[in-house]
Amino acid sequence: MKSNITVRVATKKDAATIAQAVAMAIGDEDALRSYCGDDYLEVLTEVARRKATQYSWQYALVAEVNGKAAGAIVGYNGARLEVLREGTFDVLREHVGRIPTIANETEAGEYYLDSVGVLPEFRGLGVGKALVAAFCDKVLSEGYARVGLIVDNENPNAEKLYRSLGFERVGTRHFFGHKMWHLQRANQMSVRDRLLHSTIITPFQRRVYLELLNIPAGQTITYGEMARRIGCRSAQAVGQALKRNPFAPEVPCHRVVAADGSLGGYNGYRDGEQIEHKRQLLEAEKQK
């Protein structure tokens, strides 16, 4: 019988399948036990069942073969890594009593394909390729600039699959003690066109983000001035739109600062690493 592969948006009921996919993607059982404890599948299932975690069902797709769950893929906006990792760590604190030290595998500027896995009985049918292709189609159609992932240097077959779908090497990373290739697939549309067609932003956000593109690199304006430019009476509303900017730093919300000359916020934070990153972006632009 011919295998009929379909890919759909995940629901909370798919948490166990997502957990299996994540465990297969990590691959190293010692790393899994170090990360999630001996009952790592149960812990990963709880992580997938919750909202705003790295492996949440909110950010996953599930493949079915002839109506049966066959695998899953999960990923998220790299700019939200810190927030989503904290949600993941909440589960680890509750179930394992500790949190691991993990290198950052992604960053702002890419939508990160975190994990993809196919259940053993469905391998060899093209399920993995269908999941990655559907994931990329969804992410790029929503307006993101690029999809990124890391793949073990010693896994050439996986890299071959990703390269067949338009990914290219852009660098290297070290993760879980392994040397990884950093691959990305770029969106071919201009940032302005992506904003005009994006399905994940509101009309108000679209107005704010399009106006952001008019601020030259190396210059800043205040939240109040941005509000005046788009005919809005509320600097706070502008601030909320910037807080939710899924296209930073390409859509340069870092160029908007507080009226008193302070940096204001960035990616939902008013201090810490995110504000330092905002400072660095502005300094780099001034030096060009």
Side-chain angles (χ1 to χ4, degrees):
M1 182 176 68
K2 182 179 179 181
S3 298
N4 180 29
I5 303 172
T6 58
V7 179
R8 59 171 174 79
V9 174
T11 71
K12 188 183 294 187
K13 294 179 180 179
D14 296 308
T17 300
I18 297 166
Q20 287 177 283
V22 172
M24 286 185 283
I26 294 174
D28 186 330
E29 187 158 346
D30 289 338
L32 282 164
R33 293 184 186 279
S34 174
Y35 185 43
C36 299
D38 291 339
D39 298 323
Y40 56 82
L41 277 178
E42 292 182 19
V43 173
L44 288 173
T45 298
E46 181 60 26
V47 173
R49 187 179 290 120
R50 296 194 188 183
K51 293 183 177 181
T53 69
Q54 287 173 272
Y55 313 132
S56 173
W57 61 270
Q58 295 174 285
Y59 314 122
L61 302 176
V62 170
E64 294 182 338
V65 174
N66 300 327
K68 296 182 178 180
I73 190 168
V74 60
Y76 44 83
N77 185 348
R80 301 198 67 219
L81 174 63
E82 188 174 339
V83 174
L84 299 179
R85 182 171 281 174
E86 190 55 40
T88 304
F89 286 171
D90 284 344
V91 179
L92 297 184
R93 290 187 187 97
E94 294 172 19
H95 292 265
V96 187
R98 66 180 186 276
I99 58 174
T101 299
I102 302 176
N104 287 351
E105 64 262 50
T106 184
E107 59 193 6
E110 70 176 10
Y111 200 99
Y112 183 58
L113 194 169
D114 188 297
S115 300
V116 57
V118 179
L119 301 182
E121 60 267 36
F122 297 104
R123 292 173 184 167
L125 302 177
V127 174
K129 188 170 186 177
L131 279 166
V132 176
F135 182 87
C136 290
D137 287 346
K138 179 178 184 295
V139 170
L140 297 178
S141 69
E142 288 173 345
Y144 290 96
R146 56 192 61 84
V147 181
L149 58 89
I150 54 176
V151 61
D152 199 308
N153 287 29
E154 298 180 4
N155 192 350
N157 288 334
E159 184 184 4
K160 183 178 179 180
L161 167 64
Y162 295 129
R163 290 175 75 91
S164 74
L165 291 168
F167 285 86
E168 298 180 352
R169 292 180 185 177
V170 295
T172 59
R173 295 183 186 273
H174 284 83
F175 192 64
F176 277 129
H178 294 263
K179 188 176 181 180
M180 304 280 195
W181 291 116
H182 182 197
L183 308 181
Q184 288 183 337
R185 175 177 166 180
N187 196 326
Q188 299 304 310
M189 295 176 67
S190 71
V191 62
R192 186 173 294 276
D193 283 343
R194 296 202 313 274
L195 286 176
L196 290 171
H197 294 91
S198 177
T199 59
I200 60 170
I201 58 177
T202 66
F204 179 74
Q205 287 175 300
R206 200 181 323 274
R207 286 165 55 200
V208 173
Y209 301 158
L210 287 170
E211 185 58 38
L212 279 173
L213 298 181
N214 295 325
I215 306 172
Q219 297 185 23
T220 60
I221 66 170
T222 66
Y223 294 93
E225 174 60 23
M226 173 60 76
R228 287 190 289 274
R229 286 192 182 191
I230 64 170
C232 172
R233 296 182 178 181
S234 173
Q236 288 74 22
V238 168
Q240 288 300 308
L242 300 183
K243 177 180 177 180
R244 294 177 173 84
N245 176 13
F247 308 123
E250 191 177 22
V251 175
C253 53
H254 59 277
R255 296 175 191 163
V256 186
V257 298
D260 63 3
S262 64
L263 291 179
Y266 190 62
N267 283 334
Y269 291 86
R270 301 191 70 84
D271 54 29
E273 292 183 4
Q274 292 293 331
I275 296 302
E276 179 57 29
H277 183 53
K278 179 174 183 176
R279 188 189 315 279
Q280 292 172 358
L281 286 171
L282 290 172
E283 288 298 323
E285 290 183 348
K286 291 177 181 177
Q287 293 172 11
K288 289 183 178 179

